[in-house]
Every structure is written in C-alpha cells, then in structure tokens.
Amino acid sequence: MTFQKAIEPMTSPCFDEMNGGESVSPSAPRALYDRVARWLENSPPGLLDSRRQQAEMLFRRIGITFAVYGDKEAAERLIPFDIIPRLLGQDEWRRLEAGLIQRVKALNMFLTDVYGAQEIIRAGVVPADLVLRNPAYRPEMQGHRVPHDIWTHIAGIDVIRVDDRDFYALEDNCRTPSGVSYMLENREMMIRLAPDLFADHRVLPVENYPDALLASLRSVAPPHCPGDPNIVVLTPGQFNSAFYEHSFLADKLGVELVEGRDLAVRDDVVYMRTTEGLKRVDVIYRRVDDDFLDPLAFRPDSVLGAAGLMGAYLAGNVTLANAVGAGVADDKAVYTYMPEIIRFYLDEEPKLRNVTTWRCREPDALNYVLDHLSELVVKEVNGSGGYGMLVGPHASKEQIEAFRHKLKAAPEGFIAQPTLSLSTCPTSFPGGVAPRHVDLRPFVLSGAGGVRIVPGGLTRVALKEGSLVVNSSQGGGTKDTWILETDAATR
Amino acid sequence: MLARTADNLFWVSRYLERADFLARLIEASRRISALPIAYTAARDEWKSVLMASGADETFFDHFDIADEANVTAFLAFDERNPSSIRNCIEFGRANARAVRTALTTEMWEGINSAWLELKKFETAHREAGRIDREDLIGFLEYVKTTSSLYDGSGYRSMLRNDAYYFSRLGVYVERADNTARVLDVKYHVLLPEQETVGGSVDYFQWSAILRSVSALTAYHWVYRESIKPWNVADLLILRPEMPRSLISCYDNIVRFLDALAAQYGRQGASQRHARNIKRRLEGASTGEIFQSGLHEFVDEFVNENNRLGAEITEQYLIG
Amino acid sequence: MRASVQFQLQVSFAEPVRGLNQILRLTPRGFDSQEVRDWRVDVLPDATCRRGEDAFGNIVHACSHDGPLDSLTVTAEGLVETHDGAGVLRGLNEKFPLDVFLRDAPATHADRELAVFARDALANEADPLGRMHLLMGALHKALAFAPGETEAPRPANEVFAARAGSARELAQVFVAAARALSVPARFVSGFHLGAGEVGEAGPHHAWAEAFVDPIGWIGFDPALGFCPRDAHLRLATGLDFFGAAPRRAACLGAAREDKRAALSVDAGRQASWQIQQ
C-alpha cells in the first residue's frame, strides 16, 4: 500500500483549543486562553445569549446571508456566528504559515507543470489518468502560460489539528474559495460586541486583506496592460449563495462587481458596459465556475459568463483569477499526492501533514476501506460542501450498506480517511457553553511578488454536538480567529 | 459606472417612489370611500384607484368586484400584480442588493429593513388568513417612511456623481408618471363644468387627489382659499414650488440629466427631449390646458414621460 | 477526389441582435489523405476574423460583431484533394496523450446499457481494429440514422435509448461506447462531399475516431457504417460535439433566427486545381 504512516487512531477526548489535551484538566486552560477563560467565567448569565442575538440582528440587517442550495424556505439564511474567539499563538501561526506558503507554491508549480511539460506525470509521481481524466482538468488550457505562472491566486486551505503540535491540511481549495468576508466581518463583530475581551489581547490585524488581494490581482495583469489595470469581480449574480461576499469584496477592493451580461468581448478584448460605453477590463477576479465562463468554449447554455471570454483569455488580453483549470489541483484524489508533489517540485519535506488517505482506486486500499467503513470518512473525489460523504461512526447500518454499494460500483470516485478527532473549541449556545469541533480556512494569496497570508482565517465550527461537518451549507457556524502577538506557550 | 448599476439605481428609486405613491393612494381612497354617499359623486372610487395605479387590467383577471378589500389587497400585497407595493419592495430590494456597494449603508439598511418587515407582515397575514385593517395602516405608514428614508439618506449621504443622478432621475420620472396618472383618472372632476354639479360633492374628491400626492397642506399655503378644481390642476401641473408637480419633476429631471451630460462630457437624446418637455410645461397655462382638453394634455404627457424613460435606458442603462 | 468546395451559412434574425460572438471551425487541416489549398473563411457584415489554433490543433476563426445586426453570412471555401485512406489518419500532429481521450463527459457518457451493448458487440474479437469495426457495425445496425442536424445533439445515452439519431448524435454514441471499452476516442466534424449519399443531412456531417494500437487514429462513421472515404472532408476534432462544433455562436438580445446552410462541391474545377499546382 502506498499511503503514508497512519496517524494515531481516534482517541477521545480530543484536543481542546482552550483546555488542551486529556493530560490537562479543564480547570487549567492553556496559557493562551486564560483571558478568554476568565471572561467566560465572569460574564453574567445571559450576556453571551444577548450578544449572539445582537450579532444575528446586525448580520441580518447588513444582509450577510448565505443561500443554501435545495432549501427554498431558508433562501437567505445566516451563518451562525459564535462570539467566543478561536486563538492561536504567534509561534503556532508561524509554523502554519510556513506550511501554507510551501503548499500553495507547490500547487502553483503543479498546475504550471500539468498544463505545460507534465514532468510529474512522466516521472510517474502522479498517475496520468488522475490528471488527464479529471473533470477539473481543462484540455483547453494545455500549453497555455498564465502571467507569472500563478494559477491559484486565492487559495483556501482547510486546516485542522488534533493536538497542539501538528497542523493537517484537510483540503485544498484552488478554484473560488469563499468565506473571506466572514473572516473580515467576524472581526468587526467582535470589536463591536466584545470590546473588553478584544482590548485584553493583542490580535494581529486581518483588515488589510483587501489591500493584499488588490495588490496580488494588480500584479498579475496582462503584461502589455498599460498603467493601472481595470480589475473587476465577476459574480454569478445575487442568487448565488456567496453573493454577499462578492459584493463585499468588490466594495472593499473598490472595483466594479460585474455579472456576465455586463461584459462584452470584441476582437479578443474584454470590455464592460458602462453608462459611457464600453470600457476595457484587464483582470477578472471571477467567482463563476469554469464551466460557466464562456458559452462558446464551455457549457453552451451558460448565461453567467461572456461569449468569447476564453478567446480573450487565451490571447493573453485578460487575466482570470483563479486561472481556468486550477481545480485539477484541489481534487480530493490529487490531494493524496500532495506530499509527493511538494517533494517533487520543492525538494522539501511537507510542513503541513496530510491526513492519511486511502485511494479507493487502489485495490488494497479499497479492500481495507470496505472492511472498515464504520470507522472511516469516505468522500466523493469530486464532491464538495460535505455532500455525498459517509461519516462511518455516525452512520446507520443502512447508510453504510448503501454506501458500500456505491463504493463498489465506482471505487475510483472515492477516497477514505480516518475519522479525525478534530480539535474542539468552546462555543456558546442558548443557555451555555460547550466544546465543538472546529477547522480553519486561511486564505493564501499568490501574486508576482510571492505568497502572502493575512494572519488569521475563517474558523468554522460544527454546531451539532459531536458533528464533524463544519460546512456552512450543512449547518456549520463561524468564529473569529485571533492570532495573538504572544506565543501559545507563554502568557 | 456599470450600465447595469445605473439601471438598478434608477429602478430602486422608481420602485420605492411607486410604493410610496400607492400607499398614499390607498389611504386617500379609504377616506373617500368611507364618506356617506351624499357627500361624494364617486360610485366607483376603487375602480378609479385601480386605473390610477395602472393595475386595472390585471385586476379583473383575478377579481370580479372592485371593492375596498379586493383592491387594497391587490395593490398592497398581491404577488400577481407586478406593481403591488409588496412587489415594488421585493423588486426594489432585489435591485438594491445587486448594487449594494453603490448604495450607502443607510440606504441599503433602509430598504432591507422594509423587506424584512414585509416578510414579517406576509407571514402574519398568511397565518391569519386575512389582512387586518390596523396592520394595513401600520404597513402603509412603514412603506412611506421607508421611501422617505431611502430618499433622504440618499440625499444626505450619496456622493454627487452619476450614481446619485441616476438614483434621482428614477424618483422624478416615476413621480411625474404618478402625478399624471392621478390627474388622468380624476380629470373629469377637475373640469370647470363639473363645478355646476355643486361644489361640495366633489370637494372631497379634490382633497383626495391632493392627499394622494401629499399636497393638501401645500394647497392651502399656495392658494389661501378653499379647494377649486382649476387650482388643483394648476398646483399639480404648473407650480414649480410644488415638489410633485409635473413641472417640478421636470426641473429636476433636466437638472440631473444635465449633470450627467456634464460629467460624461456628452449630450444625448434624453437631454434634448427632457428640455423640450420642460419648455412646453413652462409655456403652458391652466386656461390653455383646459381649453385644449386636460385629458389630452395629461395623456400626451404620460406618453412623453414614458418615451423619456426609454431614451434614458437606451442612452445609459444598456451600455 | 479533387473539388472546389464552398460552404455558406446564412443566418437572419427576426429582430436585430445587439451583438454577436462566434467561433468557426470551418478550416480543414491537411494530412496524408486530405490536401487543402487556398482555403478561406469570411463573414458578412465585415468583421475581423482572427485565425488561431485550439488545444486540439483545430484551426479556429473567432469574430465578433457589434449590433444592430439583422443577418449574417459565413462562407468557407477552397480547394481540396481527398483520398480514400480507409479512415487511417497519418501526418497529423497529435497534441495530447491518449488519456485525454478517455475523459468522461455528460455528452459522451456511457451508461450501463450502452456499455454492455458495446461489450457484447465485440463478441470475442481480439484484434483491436476488428473490435472497432464490430462496434461500428453494431451501432450502425442498432441505431437508425436520422439525417437533419440539431444545434445541440442529445447526450449519447439518450440517443442510444432512442435507437436513432443524427450523424453527430451517432458519432457521440460511438465515442461513448469506445471509451466505455477503454479505447481512446474522439468526435470529428466535417463535410460529406458526395451528393446523395448522406440524404438530406445538410452540409454537415460527423463521425468518430478511435485510437487503434498500433496503427493510430482511425475514423469510423457509424451513421454510414463504414470508415471515412474520400467524400469525408475532415474539419475539426474534439472530445465531443461541443469541442469540435463547426460553429458556436452567442448573441446579445434573444432573437429567433433562421438558418440556411449550403455546401456546393464542384469536382469540375479540377482543371483550375491542376493549373495552380
């Protein structure tokens, strides 16, 4: 079998961000959290509840809502916000940051190679069919170079931890990762609703994210673009689940928020329709999936893109961020090769750990998975948002058997991972506080000048007791993430 | 700016202005229909309300009788009426949401709160299975407040650039249309020969017209006499100091179109046409208007105003 | 055969459209059994037609028109000399590793029924070439060829279930079936130069190519039931119809459109061809 050293099997109780591992008793929180612990202890009953309601009211009034697919009643739902922050020490952050930078560098190099010389395939490190037959691989992009060889300008890397030592990369999001508006709005909310707690800490700022993003986008403008590039954010429109974020980002970047119908392509140049006629567009931060970008190149029935956009893109007259075809790098099957990918391009050992993964395409792995379905998390290789996955320990016999059937029918479509004991963080509920599982999605920006990450990210929390699914589409909530100026170990 | 953004701003304003007008129209008509029959010549008050709102055709697809309950429900809450108040708020909010970033926070929060209020009201209404009169009055008040809030916060907080101009243009093009529609539906009670019917009968009609465009108090300040039909027409058509008069609307339309032309350094069909309409209003007098026919005058105005809307769209909002 | 070929497409809109973008794959590439001379693609009203090459090596012209536009003409014409090469493609530069031609896509996905049909069609034939011939024969027999092209062919499964389809639909079924057998396959769009043979199919024709080890890429025409001969003029190839479509267009302002396409093949112009040589 080719998978790496298995991580420790699930042990309970799991690592708690505030109280530490099992060796630490709850009465002695990690030094990092002592102020938060004190704050929780001293908060009069009902304070957290009222703050939560206040937050909800503010979110709704500003219109920070999230549409959930297939749920018409709740067409505009709020993502629950939890007022108890999730803390990381600066030392922890530095380690994480180095790992993220390394990983995103490797992802971009992988994409450059895959759409170029394909050395990694020829070297036999990643199987050809995994790339070339991957739905996210775009043959249209083969042989195309993108400015500065950057394909995933904005990457969201989902990170988890199971102890106070290692960070695991759980998933790479190289297409159009969302959630950064929550990272920014959550901070505003904390400053407003928990001013004393915030003042008690020295929290590294995240508010410069839009500036950093703008600088990244500017740096990848087409080479012949004169002067100040015209940058736009392309949204599928206000019925998209992340529309709030699109409009939020356009506003913070100070650029136009366009829909496909606002764009016109003439002779391989992209324009936007303004009240003064057509105006040239140089960089498009697109939040529309590849398939919908151009009805002449991809899905002919798409009305979300602009006809001829791909032609302009391939002619080098406009930059798309993220690049078309970048999704081949965040595929769950490619994920399993990330350690090898990092070694291949950077000749370094991976700084973030990969979660042990069984590739069901490999017969030995498949047999193991089929034998251990009740212990494993099985994911569809091309699924996202927590749909189409089996969480073994939480599934009924029938669900497991149904999944076994699916798995046997098309094993190459699945991977399996051990059910990790995601770390927990205290989370407030009506009438109390209890630990809930969390993950973290930092946003990694790549531009001509290198890789940049604002210190922080979006902490997602599984609100249901014991649940490991943190996706907002599945009822997860969010927390503000504070990277403190102090190290985790010191006070 | 993006043509679609301009289009959205223009239409948010139109929708909110229309919602405000409908709310006033319903209120004024409720008063008049509550009068004893001897006090008013109007037998089909609710039908004329439908006509003034432009919803008369669709209404009779769904209802047989134009009574208070049916008409108020249709104008205020019916999803099947494309310009019901609830649809105005729904569409207005959808347009606003699409261009959130072009609005100031106050404007967005104003219209978003109105939408949330509407949702609450609709839920209550669905659960009760009927519209409570008191709730209705409360809701109409809320609609008027929202419109003022949007208008006012736009005035206070928006940068004076094309976004502001398009937003204002929407208000005045819609307002001119609304005022003209009221005049068009009620023109018969304003004709001089109607006076022989006996002043007091139509008195309440006249005051209702003034109320529907919130001009009753203004009337007294301007004319300092009891309500006379020709004065009502004069006030609503030709008085520049009356903010809902046709001429006042066109003062503003011309002003904001000129501002756009100045910002973009380019004139077009809409500037020329608006100036032309304004000139004609300036040159008109009540006497002439009545002589050549109030109905014809208003009819032509409505058409010209619509044409201007189409020209603005063609010139700026398609891109 | 040697011929002067002219393809013309006339589109007229019920109401003028405000703008139009199109890409045209109407330029044949030359290879061993297909020689192309003096080929040009033209549009009316005049617009810049930028010639380029897509990832699959097809020659693509892209052009855009500003509205209002009430009609549009596309012309592609030139001189060709074709030979019956038994469908074998030689002398073409291949851009992709074979794995690409095994990709699954909605238009060319084979469901169980089609996959089983494909397997059964092979009987016990071991020869790769023989297998593809058997597959073509079986599809040709099982599926009725219904000339007349639709703008968007139905997905392979649907066509197979209906047991009938246009040339491009049958070609996609072949591609899906071949891939289900793990044989790399691709879609080909082209013209059929022989009058009468394709019925009233219109000027467009379509077939498929499969990679047969060790010979290479070979064309299979499931609509006609034989491998491409000298009447097959090969225009473009792709993973499915959409990637090889002779024309893809999108216009601003929804409009009903009326399309007329014609292909004239003049074998009598051989004389001028020879003079040019």
Side-chain angles (χ1 to χ4, degrees), chain C residues 96-157:
Chain C
F96 280 108
L98 291 175
D99 266 303
V100 167
F101 300 99
L102 289 167
R103 287 170 68 84
D104 196 9
T108 51
H109 174 77
D111 59 9
R112 228 184 112 71
E113 203 194 341
L114 178 52
V116 169
F117 176 89
R119 211 174 324 129
D120 292 349
L122 303 185
N124 290 319
E125 179 61 56
D127 172 47
L129 179 60
R131 286 158 74 98
M132 287 301 104
H133 273 287
L134 285 173
L135 178 64
M136 173 171 67
L139 286 173
H140 180 64
K141 210 169 128 198
L143 304 182
F145 172 36
E149 296 298 357
T150 44
E151 194 67 4
R154 296 166 294 167
N157 284 336

Side-chain angles (χ1 to χ4, degrees), chain A residues 95-139:
Chain A
R95 271 188 285 133
L96 176 58
E97 188 185 35
L100 292 168
I101 291 175
Q102 178 195 51
R103 198 167 174 100
V104 170
K105 269 190 188 159
L107 286 167
N108 275 312
M109 293 173 84
F110 173 70
L111 286 162
T112 302
D113 185 29
V114 155
Y115 289 109
Q118 303 189 334
E119 278 164 19
I120 198 161
I121 296 176
R122 265 183 257 173
V125 176
V126 175
D129 68 314
L130 204 65
V131 173
L132 301 176
R133 295 177 65 177
N134 193 309
Y137 168 78
R138 292 287 169 192

Side-chain angles (χ1 to χ4, degrees), chain A residues 184-339:
Chain A
L184 298 168
E185 292 282 27
N186 287 355
R187 177 64 50 84
E188 296 303 313
M189 209 53 80
M190 288 305 288
I191 293 174
R192 201 155 160 178
L193 297 181
D196 293 340
L197 182 65
F198 189 75
D200 265 355
H201 293 83
R202 295 233 166 259
V203 183
L204 301 187
V206 289
E207 67 191 41
N208 53 340
Y209 176 82
D211 281 343
L213 174 58
L214 191 63
S216 284
L217 294 173
R218 234 187 256 279
S219 75
V220 293
H224 57 266
C225 166
D228 198 16
N230 183 22
I231 299 170
V232 299
V233 175
L234 174 64
T235 173
Q238 60 167 313
F239 300 107
N240 181 269
S241 63
F243 177 75
Y244 170 74
E245 174 155 305
H246 307 160
S247 92
F248 174 91
L249 284 173
D251 195 30
K252 296 287 175 205
L253 294 172
V255 306
E256 291 288 358
L257 176 67
V258 304
E259 295 178 17
R261 58 194 160 124
D262 297 322
L263 299 178
V265 183
R266 292 285 174 268
D267 294 335
D268 279 347
V269 175
V270 183
Y271 300 91
M272 61 183 191
R273 301 172 201 281
T274 77
T275 50
E276 294 172 89
L278 297 179
K279 189 180 172 202
R280 186 168 176 154
V281 172
D282 304 299
V283 181
I284 301 178
Y285 174 21
R286 50 94 174 207
R287 299 290 295 257
V288 169
D289 292 342
D290 288 355
D291 262 339
F292 296 93
L293 277 178
D294 180 354
L296 299 189
F298 305 118
R299 280 178 65 145
D301 56 343
S302 169
V303 291
L304 302 178
L309 180 56
M310 233 359 231
Y313 181 51
L314 291 174
N317 291 335
V318 70
T319 301
L320 295 178
N322 294 349
V324 173
V328 69
D330 70 16
D331 178 88
K332 291 192 180 70
V334 171
Y335 164 88
T336 65
Y337 292 91
M338 271 317 284

